[in-house]
Each structure stands twice: as C-alpha cells, then as structure tokens.
Amino acid sequence: MPILGNFPAGGGGGGTGGLALAAVTNIATVTAHEKVYVSWTDPNDLVVAGSTLAAWGGTLLVRKAGSAPVSRRDGTVVLDSKTRNQYSTTYFCDSGLTDGVTYYYKFFPYTTSSTYTDSTDDEFTATPAAVAPGNVSGMSAVAAGNGKITVQWGDPAATVVTDGITVSTWASTQVVYKTGSYPTDPSDGTLALNSTTRNQYATNGFTITGLTNGTTYYIAFFPTSTDGAVNTDAVNRVTGVPNRLVINDIPAQSGTLTYNKAPQNPVWDSAYDPTIMTLGGETVGTNAKTYVATFTPDDDHVFAGDASPKAKNVSWVIGKAAGTLTLTPASLVLDKTTTSATFAISGDFDGNYTVTSMDTSVATVALVSGKTYRVSSVNSTTGTTSIKVSCSGGSNYTAPAAKSVSVTAKFVTIYGASWDGSSTTKWSRTDASASFTDPVPAVNNGSGSSPFDTLQPWAGMVKDTSDSAAGVLVKIPKFWYKWTKSGNTLKLQIADGQADGFRVSPAHADRGDGKGERDFVYVGRYHCASGYKSTTNAAQQVNITRSTARSSIHNLGATIWQFDYAMRVTIQMLYLVEFADWNSQAKIGYGCSASGSKENNGKTDAMQYHTGTTAANRTTYGYTQYRNIEGLWDNVYDWMDGCYYNGSGMNIIMNPANFSDSSGGTLIGKPSSGYPSAIAVATASGLEWAIYPTAASGSDSTYVADSWGYSASGPCLLCGGSYGQGQGHGLFYVGYYSASGTGAYIGCRLQKLP
C-alpha cells in the first residue's frame, strides 16, 4: 500500500506536507539491448465528498543499481512526467544501460503541493539484454551434384516486436556445417555463408561446394541481430548428403519431323536440359531416315543406373512427307473443235507413277514429253471418263493419293418437249429425253430426284455466294435452244452445245452491251430483301416502283441488274424441258404462302433437294423452289424488267443499261389477256426466244394454266405469285401495273450478268 504522510523537506518520502496519492498501477516493462521500456498508469486525485484533497502533479521515476531507491534522491531520476498517463499506452525508454545488469526502479508520484508517495508498490526491477532474432523456417539440405549440397531456408521476421516495441532487428543468418554432430554456435564448424539479405535463399537456395559425396553433413542456421545476439535454438538444424543428381529420364524426340527438303533439327522432350547435359552425335538431318544423337551429363549428374557421367544414344526420325500429286488442268472438255487436249503432272513425289484412261471408248492418253500427256477423243464419242494417275511411295515421300483428270467428251446432246396445243397442260418428251421419267420434286423439305440432275445445263444450276454485294445467287450455265411452231404444236429443244438451227439461251445471248455471249449468268436465289440484296431470313423489299427497284439493284454493282423477261424465259425453258408440263404449281407445289401472309425469305433453306415444296403435299400451299431458286411464285410478285407494254403490245429490251418503262424496246406482238390457250413465238431478230399468248380461253387447270394480263395503260410487267393463296399464279403468270404503282405484294429480284 502507498504510504500517506508528511515528510520534512529533503526527506525520503515527503515534500512540504499534505496528503499523498496512491501508488502507480499497471506497471509493464520490456527489456532490450542497453534499454529498459516501462509503461504505467498514474494515480488519480484524492477526492472526498466531491472535494479534491490532493491533486496529482507528476510522477518521478528513479533508477538505481544494486538495490531499490529508498527516496526520490536515492538514485538517478530518469524521468519527471508531468503529463498524467502519458505512458499508460506508450512506453518510456530508459537507454544507455549495460546489458546483464539488474536495475532497480521506483516511481514517486507527487501532488501539486509536492507531497510524494513512497510505496513498495511503485518498485520494479529490469535487466537489459540483446534479444536474438526468431527461428528460420522451411529448412532443407539436398544433394546438388558432385560434392554439393543446396541449402534452402526462410529467414526469421525482420524484427522482434514486444508490445509494439522493436526489441531486435535481424542482421544476418550464419550457415555453419560440420561432420559428426551439429554446430552449437557460429564458431563450431565451417562457416559456409553469412547471408545479410533477408530471404535471399528462400526460393533458390545456396549451394555449398567442396564436400565429400555420401558423407552426412550437419548444418545449423544462426540468425543474428544487429545487436550481435545469436539464436542458437536447436530447431534451426538440418542434415544433408552430397551426391551427383540422378537423371531418371533419357531425352527423346518430341513431336515429329517431316521431310521438307531442308536441314532440320529435332525438338527434344522435357527430359533434355541443356544446362546439365551436352548434345552431340547426329543433330541435324535432311532426308527421311533415322538418326542417332548422344546426350552426355555434366559432372554433377548421372543417368539412372550409372555411377559416373556416361553418354546415352538416342534415335530420332525425319519422316516421309506426304506425297502430293497435281494434275493441271484437272478437267478437260473434248468437242467438235477440240478433239484432244493435254495435261501436266506435278507435285512432291519420288516414286514411280502410271497414267491410265478409265474408258478407252471415250478417250485415250499418251505421253507427249516429260510429264505432259495428251488425251484424245475416240470416234467423237460423247461421254465422260477420267485419266487416272497413280504413284508409289519413294525414299522421302509417301505414296500420294491417286488423282484423276476428268474428261468430258461433248459432241452435243439435245433434249426436248412438245405440246400439241390442246387443253392439256402436259407436254411430250422428245429427243434424248424421250424416255425420261418425270422428275420427283421434294415435299415437306425432303429429298427428290430428276433424270436431268446429272445433265447440263440443269446440273450446273447451283448456289453461289461469291458476290457479297449481290448476296446468294443461283448460277445458270449457257445452253442452246430451238422453238418450233407448226400449226397448234409448239416444240422446245435444249442442246448442251452448239448445234445447227439452235440459238444461245436468252439470258446468255449477246445483249448488245459489249460483253458478247455469257458462259454463265446468275439469278437471285431469293426475292430482294432490305438493301436489295438476295438475302435469307429477311423480309422482301416491297412498296417500290419498278424503276426504283431497277436503279437500287444496279447500285449494288456494275454487273447487277433487275430480273428481266429474258431471264424469266430462260428459266421457263429449263423447266418445260425438264417437267414437260405448263402447270408448275401442280408439278412442284402450290406455293404462294403457307399462312396466307407474306413471310421472310429462306423458307426453303432446309430443303434437302433443289426443287420442291415445304408443304406436306403438292396441293397444300407452302413455299417452293426450282433448281435452288426460291419463291418464283411465292410470297410476293417480282417486277420483271427488260419489257414494257404500250398500245401496240409487248416490247422487249435486251441491253440492261437501256431498261425502261416506256421506250427503246422492240415490239414482239400484242398478248391476249386472260388464261392463255394459244402461244406464239416472236419472230423479231434476236428475240426468237420470246413467247406470248394469242388466245385466252383457258383456265387455271388447262392449257398454260397461269393467267397473263395485258393493258396498254399498265406498262410495268410483274411475274410469279404472291402470298394470296390461289391457282393460276405459277411460273408462267404475267401481270402489269402502272409506272408509279407499288404494293406490299410486289417485290423484286436481281440478276448478275458478268
């Protein structure tokens, strides 16, 4: 307990007289090198019944060596604290002391009237001493090669902190080793390293060299502080045995090399480490074969099973390259003007090869020189064959796949159909197609068949997406036609080559535009969508005049024009010879629209065959396509350019640059308006392909079966069918409208004339 009393001036516990305060409380000490840290709580004022009888004025801290101070003057006053509780949460540091000496301290709280408290409760002792750093962590000592051990450890924390006070700072870690037993201090053994960079060897370690393989070495780590305190804790110890490192896996070739005519180096797998072994032997090769390389370990390593470093032989391979065979050109056409043609053999191969005609009744083959061969027609026989070239493998190339030059001997085939002019819609097949069965178009997006599927030009009507400006097109090869009108009989013939009395199909004919005859023309697979491109999954471009469609379509490109009457008749000719029937809706499908409303393009995209209907049967309205051309009588009518009506009749314009609604055409005749029952063939020069009705007493199931409208005041022709469900609007339907006319049921289609 504190002593409360009055002491004479200069005495051990008093001041000028008065009541004394209680002792300090919560004394806490921390010692370090030459320092003692102390914190405490100063006493409260002495208050009775609300009256302060004694007020705290300060606290003296007195230090003495040997024994506790008996008064505030018995020792060294190290602090006179006049700020209450200044050191209750922080420490006061008494420095400049001697490590190992026990110091006696005593607090003397005093009042504002200089009355000092003298109490044994205010006494404490402290002995300063340097504090060693903490222990290392993550120790290991592993063999690192011939006479080598790699030691790895994590240094202790940078400082030792006690109650917020740094009492020790790491300076270094001394690594000491010896044989027989562990070092007990830094001088007991061989100093391998004094590491002064903290955690420098925590990841990669430090290698001790000059050791004896197979000997156990005892290694101790001695963390040392900046004050010289050394941590000799036995937990900072590890043993290690030096030895050469064993390479368990012999390197092998990674991946494959293929002959490429140039020198090549193999790539080795992960077992190859150029830092521990030397690569020798055959390390570069050119030809396809097996090579032998050597791998020799350095002095610190051995392959598994070896006592000392020895080389290993490893095979690696350059494989044969895939042989290639190129035949140029890949196809040949023989006809009346070209009865023989040559092709050349090239490619990467080094074996023997043979050249064989697969049908010598059509064509034979003979060597010209080098690797050039001539293919010759046999007796002007029409047919197809191939010249097969086979090659064996060689030293650097595998045998390439056999290749063939396709040979088409075309000495013209004519297909035809004839209509007797009666009320039947049916035509009779003639010429080479006389015995053909009727095509079977698809229903419900299924499959189909046609005897014309392998014949030109029908087989060449394929989708084409090469022109991004135009969209999806259908390519139509050139053919030759001949109309013959005899009484009521109308005959149409199509030849796959030039023949006497035949003319080039209307879309491919010389249009007077400087391009001459065209080998191929293209028609939009779809009605024009927004932007006037032939695009799937999009609504048709409608509510436009024919002239607006004309200019907008041509804005897509110099060879892109609006669909014209010549293109329409070209498609009609191909259909008539193939199906031999006027009624396209009955033969392929009703079309128009499955819902009775206009729907987006692309309804036939899922169809497995090029021709057919999406409906479950042909007499159900749906969506149709003929030879990949969708909607020729579906969804919306298409404006038909290259023609116009006036009071004299129907006028035709061939040059697309001159397309007009009112002028520049050649008159072919005046069509009869209604369901056609008689058809005339134009006689105007260059327009002998054009047909038009001269009588109209038919119906939607007799004669032509599609209506044809004519009006002198409706100059703009349209064709096909719209979403309104009804018969009489098939491939041969023709309607008209004014030059300013538009409608939600009238769209357009493009064509490309390269």
Side-chain angles (χ1 to χ4, degrees):
M1 292 189 59
I3 300 173
L4 303 178
N6 298 318
F7 298 91
T16 58
L19 296 174
L21 302 174
V24 301
T25 57
N26 303 321
I27 299 173
T29 60
V30 175
T31 58
H33 175 58
E34 299 179 344
K35 296 176 183 177
V36 171
Y37 296 87
V38 59
S39 69
W40 69 94
T41 301
D42 290 312
N44 295 323
D45 294 343
L46 181 59
V47 179
V48 177
S51 298
T52 301
L53 304 182
W56 179 85
T59 298
L60 291 179
L61 176 60
V62 179
R63 179 190 70 223
K64 180 182 177 184
S67 61
V70 298
S71 72
R72 70 180 189 276
R73 295 187 178 89
D74 183 21
T76 301
V77 176
V78 296
L79 175 68
D80 182 3
S81 174
K82 295 183 179 180
T83 300
R84 172 174 279 164
N85 293 329
Q86 180 178 359
Y87 297 104
S88 63
T89 56
T90 61
Y91 282 84
F92 167 72
C93 177
D94 184 17
S95 59
L97 307 179
T98 301
D99 287 349
V101 175
T102 299
Y103 291 93
Y104 296 81
Y105 292 87
K106 189 170 185 177
F107 292 101
F108 292 95
Y110 58 89
T111 67
T112 53
S113 59
S114 298
T115 298
Y116 290 84
T117 299
D118 188 345
S119 170
T120 56
D121 290 343
D122 287 326
E123 297 175 356
F124 68 93
T125 62
T127 304
V131 178
N135 295 322
V136 300
S137 60
M139 296 176 296
S140 66
V142 296
N146 188 19
K148 299 176 183 178
I149 291 175
T150 294
V151 291
Q152 189 173 330
W153 73 95
D155 289 310
T159 58
V160 176
V161 178
T162 302
D163 202 11
I165 298 173
T166 299
V167 297
S168 177
T169 300
W170 178 87
S172 68
T173 296
Q174 300 177 71
V175 183
V176 180
Y177 68 90
K178 62 187 289 192
T179 59
S181 62
Y182 287 106
T184 57
D185 60 55
S187 63
D188 183 20
T190 301
L191 177 66
L193 172 71
N194 183 29
S195 174
T196 59
T197 300
R198 186 168 170 273
N199 291 328
Q200 181 178 359
Y201 301 103
T203 301
N204 296 323
F206 171 77
T207 299
I208 303 172
T209 61
L211 307 178
T212 301
N213 288 344
T215 299
T216 299
Y217 286 86
Y218 296 83
I219 303 165
F221 300 88
F222 297 103
T224 305
S225 73
T226 54
D227 299 325
V230 178
N231 183 341
T232 59
D233 197 318
V235 300
N236 298 318
R237 295 173 177 175
V238 70
T239 60
V241 180
N243 265 318
R244 285 189 172 94
L245 300 178
V246 175
I247 304 172
N248 291 310
D249 298 319
I250 298 173
Q253 183 177 4
S254 177
T256 58
L257 292 176
T258 302
Y259 174 75
N260 64 3
K261 303 179 184 179
Q264 299 185 79
N265 304 86
V267 175
W268 303 105
D269 63 15
S270 59
Y272 173 50
D273 184 348
T275 65
I276 64 173
M277 62 184 72
T278 301
L279 173 63
E282 295 176 307
T283 61
V284 179
T286 299
N287 291 324
K289 56 177 274 189
T290 298
Y291 299 85
V292 178
T294 61
F295 293 89
T296 305
D298 64 18
D299 193 46
D300 288 328
H301 295 79
V302 292
F303 284 110
D306 293 341
S308 60
K310 294 180 180 179
K312 297 292 183 183
N313 293 333
V314 176
S315 296
W316 60 279
V317 176
I318 295 178
K320 292 182 180 182
T324 63
L325 196 58
T326 301
L327 307 182
T328 307
S331 63
L332 297 173
V333 176
L334 306 180
D335 54 29
K336 292 179 179 179
T337 59
T338 307
T339 58
S340 69
T342 61
F343 72 93
I345 302 172
S346 61
D348 291 326
F349 58 89
D350 54 1
N352 297 319
Y353 66 90
T354 59
V355 182
T356 307
S357 171
M358 304 309 292
D359 189 345
T360 55
S361 69
V362 175
T364 58
V365 62
L367 176 66
V368 177
S369 63
K371 294 178 181 177
T372 299
Y373 287 79
R374 180 173 296 279
V375 179
S376 300
S377 166
V378 177
N379 299 325
S380 297
T381 301
T382 295
T384 60
T385 186
S386 61
I387 308 301
K388 183 178 180 180
V389 179
S390 301
C391 183
S392 63
S395 58
N396 287 318
Y397 294 99
T398 62
K403 293 289 186 70
S404 295
V405 174
S406 65
V407 179
T408 302
K410 296 183 62 174
F411 295 90
V412 183
T413 302
I414 297 172
Y415 310 93
S418 176
W419 179 52
D420 62 9
S422 69
S423 62
T424 180
T425 62
K426 183 71 175 174
W427 291 48
S428 300
R429 299 189 184 279
T430 66
D431 300 285
S433 56
S435 62
F436 284 8
T437 59
D438 287 342
V440 182
V443 294
N444 202 27
N445 279 341
S447 59
S449 64
S450 169
F452 292 82
D453 279 347
T454 59
L455 306 177
Q456 294 296 342
W458 296 270
M461 295 177 68
V462 295
K463 298 175 187 176
D464 187 290
T465 58
S466 61
D467 191 333
S468 59
V472 184
L473 306 175
V474 174
K475 183 178 183 180
I476 304 178
K478 180 167 67 174
F479 61 91
W480 288 256
Y481 78 94
K482 182 179 181 181
W483 284 113
T484 302
K485 184 71 183 289
S486 177
N488 292 330
T489 300
L490 181 64
K491 182 178 181 180
L492 172 63
Q493 293 170 289
I494 287 179
D496 60 2
Q498 208 165 10
D500 293 340
F502 283 69
R503 295 181 173 88
V504 175
S505 54
H508 303 82
D510 188 343
R511 290 172 172 264
D513 57 359
K515 301 294 182 65
E517 294 179 3
R518 292 169 168 88
D519 291 332
F520 299 96
V521 294
Y522 302 80
V523 64
R525 164 165 165 71
Y526 307 105
H527 299 288
C528 291
S530 176
Y532 294 91
K533 289 179 62 174
S534 174
T535 307
T536 189
N537 296 322
Q540 299 81 21
Q541 181 72 55
V542 295
N543 293 314
I544 47 171
T545 64
R546 188 170 75 162
S547 62
T548 296
R550 178 186 303 136
S551 59
S552 298
I553 289 173
H554 189 48
N555 284 339
L556 297 177
T559 61
I560 302 173
W561 308 90
Q562 183 165 226
F563 182 78
D564 70 349
Y565 186 48
M567 182 66 76
R568 185 74 172 186
V569 172
T570 296
I571 296 169
Q572 289 172 340
M573 287 178 174
L574 292 165
Y575 163 84
L576 281 173
V577 171
E578 182 175 8
F579 280 85
D581 201 299
W582 285 113
N583 197 338
S584 61
Q585 287 184 283
K587 299 303 288 184
I588 296 177
Y590 277 9
C592 297
S593 167
S595 63
S597 300
K598 182 166 64 70
E599 298 198 25
N600 287 352
N601 291 339
K603 290 298 183 179
T604 64
D605 284 354
M607 192 174 294
Q608 300 174 38
Y609 191 57
H610 52 64
T611 301
T613 176
T614 62
N617 56 71
R618 303 196 199 288
T619 57
T620 298
Y621 291 99
Y623 305 94
T624 62
Q625 63 178 2
Y626 171 64
R627 292 279 165 186
N628 294 309
I629 308 170
E630 181 184 274
L632 286 169
W633 55 89
D634 300 341
N635 259 326
V636 294
Y637 298 106
D638 285 323
W639 284 122
M640 187 163 61
D641 222 337
C643 56
Y644 62 88
Y645 287 154
N646 58 19
S648 299
M650 184 174 182
N651 301 270
I652 305 298
I653 302 171
M654 286 293 286
N655 188 341
N658 298 330
F659 284 172
S660 168
D661 292 343
S662 60
S663 64
T666 298
L667 180 67
I668 63 169
K670 181 179 289 187
S672 298
S673 191
Y675 280 95
S677 55
I679 296 294
V681 178
T683 58
S685 177
L687 303 177
E688 295 88 348
W689 50 266
I691 56 175
Y692 61 95
T694 56
S697 59
S699 69
D700 62 7
S701 61
T702 61
Y703 297 99
V704 176
D706 288 329
S707 67
W708 184 305
Y710 165 74
S711 172
S713 60
C716 296
L717 281 67
L718 50 86
C719 59
S722 71
Y723 51 83
Q725 296 176 345
Q727 297 299 289
H729 291 72
L731 183 61
F732 297 90
Y733 171 82
V734 175
Y736 58 87
Y737 220 5
S738 66
S740 61
T742 65
Y745 48 89
I746 304 175
C748 56
R749 190 182 296 266
L750 60 78
Q751 62 185 13
K752 180 178 178 180
L753 305 175

